[in-house]
Amino acid sequence: KVVIGGKEVSLCQRNNEEWVVNDYEKDIDYDLQALINKTIDTGRSRIPEKYKDFDATRVSFACKHEGSIIKPIEDAILYCYLPTKASWGFPFLMNSDMIPKGDRNDIETEVLLLDDETNFNEELTSIAGERLFYWLLELLASRKYELGSVFSLVPNFDKCIKEHGDYKDYILKFKDSFEKVLDKKNIVPVKKGIANVNYIVYDTIGLTTSGIMTDEEFLEFADLEDVYLPLPILRSNKSFNRFLKNYAKKDLT
């Protein structure tokens, strides 16, 4: 419930039979925390006093599901606890500690820290990009959802920038942060567990899905070692193949 002045303004409900919601927290680096405090102490900052000694931030992601199928959100908006009208074109809802504009209809774009280079909201955007990776990983590991449908939550960043150009800097910050984790951590389900996308073979001509070759024959024929084919159930999935097209190494496609 949202209560202002002793009166209930809004009642917010969540249907767990329809929604998937996950929260993630991350500590704020000491240097960034010190910079925030120093900026607030000047008395000229647009960063609210409540962010003094800001030592941890929380980001939440949400999408819908129908049974085991993850359903992307169309026209998804950003939340700063309360909803804004801002959209970055992502296929999921996101709630964070970012600072909204005074009317709460948009994300603040001019909240700069003291050095005039570090944007407070962009720093939180970077953290959110990291956390997206771990949300996807948690959904995959839960075994509650069809694997391919989880990959439908990976944003088409080029499309997002094209259609939401006013937020280009934010989208790029989010993208870079997400892709840095993706480059280091394992996320693709394979027969032996889970592997890094840099070591995934994208069978673009369908030799393994058509039954012409076994996985072992394909890898031997292609003279490939220390790489993996994704689980068979993923190889014909549209969302997963879009993900591979964007992130698999070109010499493995």
Side-chain angles (χ1 to χ4, degrees), residues 217-224:
E217 289 171 340
F218 174 82
L219 293 174
E220 183 178 355
F221 173 76
D223 193 24
L224 295 172

Side-chain angles (χ1 to χ4, degrees), residues 106-121:
D106 203 352
I107 301 297
E108 181 60 73
T109 57
E110 298 179 359
V111 180
L112 295 179
L113 299 184
L114 191 62
D115 60 9
D116 289 332
E117 295 180 358
T118 306
N119 182 305
F120 180 88
N121 279 351

